Amino acid sequence: MAAPCRCGRGALPLLLISLSAAYLTYTALLSSRSLLPLPTASFPGATANRRVASGGTARGSGQRAFHTAVTASGSLYNTWQCRVMYYWFKRAREASGGGGAEMGGFTRILHSGKPDAFVEEIPTFVADPLPAGTDQGYVVLNRPWAFVQWLQKADIQEEYILMAEPDHLIVKPIPNLSRDGRSAAFPFFYIEPKKYENVLRKFFPEHEGPITKIDPIGNSPVIARKESLARIAPTWMNISIAMKKDPETDKAFGWVLEMYAYAVASALHGVGNILHKDFMIQPPWDLEIGDAFIIHYTYGCDYDMKGKLTYGKVGEWRFDKRSYDSKPPPRNLPLPPNGVPQSVVTLVKMVNEATANIPNWDSYAAE
């Protein structure tokens, strides 16, 4: 059984959650032309006595072991994905052949501010959410703030961190892909720093170097040194909030705003990234598993009964995580029809295996 979450709650001092004191504003960005991490005392609601489930004994070996961390809001939608993700994390880490030797502990960073019913099942650190209204309905803004708290308060034994997401399925053991002080990251085709150079120069001024220093990445999946991430995370938080407050930037980046913020923060701190296209695949666009380590099921998969993709139109057969925002998927989902790509078939089989083996899945689904 995973170690339970143990948290000490402290009141949110009103003075500490004043946005004018806690965050870099857009005006400050323009005047200073640079971003620096905020001092610890400025972070809203940090509790000195916060304790954490460490994820059990670190299993990774050697100095290159990494700790896997996943942020979650505590919604039912996030929770069922975390349960499935943690099942496959354990399978990969315990895989025969020693491939998971560098996979260490696991933590779900729960930024709801309170424990839930699954802290006994999944090693969990409870983080405070941003002050009400700060995320402006963009809940992902809580992710960098949650990482700031975890990195400051948790006893993380490993020297590296893998930042992952609830909708990641680990297909096989993941080695530490980072090298020579550089992080390992997945390149996203829709993160285009050159295209948005005029917008990004508000946060990455010209004296910092060419815009090509900003890699086409998000914060996940990324394997980074713990020390590097501890420097990046506060800046990532500051830039995310500043971008959201700037109408031009918010409109340009939309739902990937926080990903751009991480890429900028990494560049500002001089942390380069080794880009691994095989880090993960994203069905239905990626057809085969190939050498990938992760399946990211962010896109809906819609097909007719002849196995033809009907993307943009609800298919006769479909798997879309958004279909299960108010209740978890049932056990034994129907498999895709013949002709559907291997990546989609594997995705559904992995979800089915996880739900078949996770205790109390049916009773949870009935709630």
Side-chain angles (χ1 to χ4, degrees):
M1 178 180 294
C5 163
R6 301 181 293 278
C7 347
R9 292 283 300 162
L12 280 172
L14 293 180
L15 290 177
L16 289 182
I17 63 173
S18 166
L19 292 182
S20 60
Y23 301 117
L24 292 172
T25 62
Y26 179 51
T27 302
L29 288 173
L30 289 178
S31 62
S32 68
R33 301 293 286 169
S34 65
L35 288 169
L36 296 174
L38 292 170
T40 302
S42 297
F43 296 136
T47 51
N49 61 339
R50 180 83 66 188
R51 293 190 293 172
V52 62
S54 65
T57 302
R59 296 281 296 276
S61 61
Q63 295 181 347
R64 290 183 51 78
F66 60 85
H67 193 103
T68 300
V70 177
T71 58
S73 66
S75 66
L76 186 150
Y77 176 68
N78 261 181
T79 300
W80 71 256
Q81 293 173 48
C82 284
R83 299 182 81 194
V84 172
M85 195 275 185
Y86 184 52
Y87 172 86
W88 284 105
F89 165 83
K90 291 186 293 183
R91 283 288 306 274
R93 190 176 65 175
E94 295 164 3
S96 60
E102 293 175 328
M103 297 178 69
F106 182 100
T107 298
R108 175 183 61 148
I109 308 174
L110 183 64
H111 52 74
S112 63
K114 57 185 179 181
D116 64 8
F118 299 96
V119 296
E120 297 285 347
E121 178 180 321
I122 309 172
T124 297
F125 174 87
V126 177
D128 288 316
L130 289 166
T134 306
D135 64 20
Q136 302 178 55
Y138 181 55
V139 69
V140 183
L141 279 187
N142 284 278
R143 181 179 292 158
W145 167 225
F147 266 105
V148 168
Q149 295 174 75
W150 179 63
L151 289 162
Q152 288 183 348
K153 303 298 179 181
D155 180 17
I156 307 164
Q157 298 179 31
E158 299 86 351
E159 292 302 316
Y160 293 83
I161 307 294
L162 165 61
M163 293 187 288
E165 296 186 17
D167 59 353
H168 285 178
L169 299 180
I170 301 178
V171 178
K172 63 182 180 182
I174 304 174
N176 188 338
L177 299 170
S178 67
R179 291 288 184 274
D180 303 322
R182 293 193 294 165
S183 301
F186 177 80
F188 290 90
F189 71 89
Y190 50 78
I191 302 297
E192 302 176 276
K194 185 64 178 177
K195 178 179 178 180
Y196 293 102
E197 180 170 1
N198 289 340
V199 174
L200 288 171
R201 284 303 186 188
K202 299 179 183 182
F203 313 95
F204 191 78
E206 291 184 4
H207 68 75
E208 295 290 347
I211 208 70
T212 52
K213 287 183 64 177
I214 302 175
D215 291 320
I217 64 170
N219 77 288
S220 174
V222 168
I223 300 177
R225 290 189 65 90
K226 181 170 57 179
E227 177 274 331
S228 297
L229 190 56
R231 290 186 289 114
I232 292 170
T235 310
W236 171 28
M237 182 188 76
N238 291 335
I239 298 175
S240 296
I241 294 173
M243 284 182 169
K244 186 64 181 175
K245 291 176 69 176
D246 178 43
E248 181 187 17
T249 308
D250 189 23
K251 181 179 179 180
F253 295 156
W255 65 274
V256 298
L257 179 150
E258 165 267 344
M259 297 172 68
Y260 272 100
Y262 180 84
V264 171
S266 182
L268 284 171
H269 286 281
V271 179
N273 297 274
I274 304 170
L275 304 181
H276 287 274
K277 292 183 178 180
D278 289 332
F279 210 148
M280 71 179 186
I281 61 165
Q282 301 184 95
W285 309 116
D286 295 307
L287 306 182
E288 303 291 334
I289 302 298
D291 294 326
F293 297 97
I294 293 170
I295 295 176
H296 183 208
Y297 55 99
T298 190
Y299 298 106
C301 301
D302 289 276
Y303 293 86
D304 64 22
M305 297 312 292
K306 296 181 180 179
K308 181 181 178 181
L309 181 67
T310 62
Y311 193 78
K313 177 183 177 182
V314 175
E316 297 175 89
W317 180 95
R318 80 176 329 218
F319 177 82
D320 188 337
K321 64 179 183 178
R322 296 161 192 82
S323 300
Y324 307 103
D325 60 345
S326 60
K327 62 179 180 179
R331 283 176 164 159
N332 197 28
L333 290 167
L335 294 177
N338 291 334
V340 171
Q342 177 213 24
S343 61
V344 178
V345 175
T346 303
L347 162 60
V348 177
K349 286 183 176 180
M350 290 181 73
V351 171
N352 280 347
E353 178 177 332
T355 60
N357 287 281
I358 294 173
N360 303 316
W361 186 269
D362 286 337
S363 61
Y364 171 57
E367 292 178 0

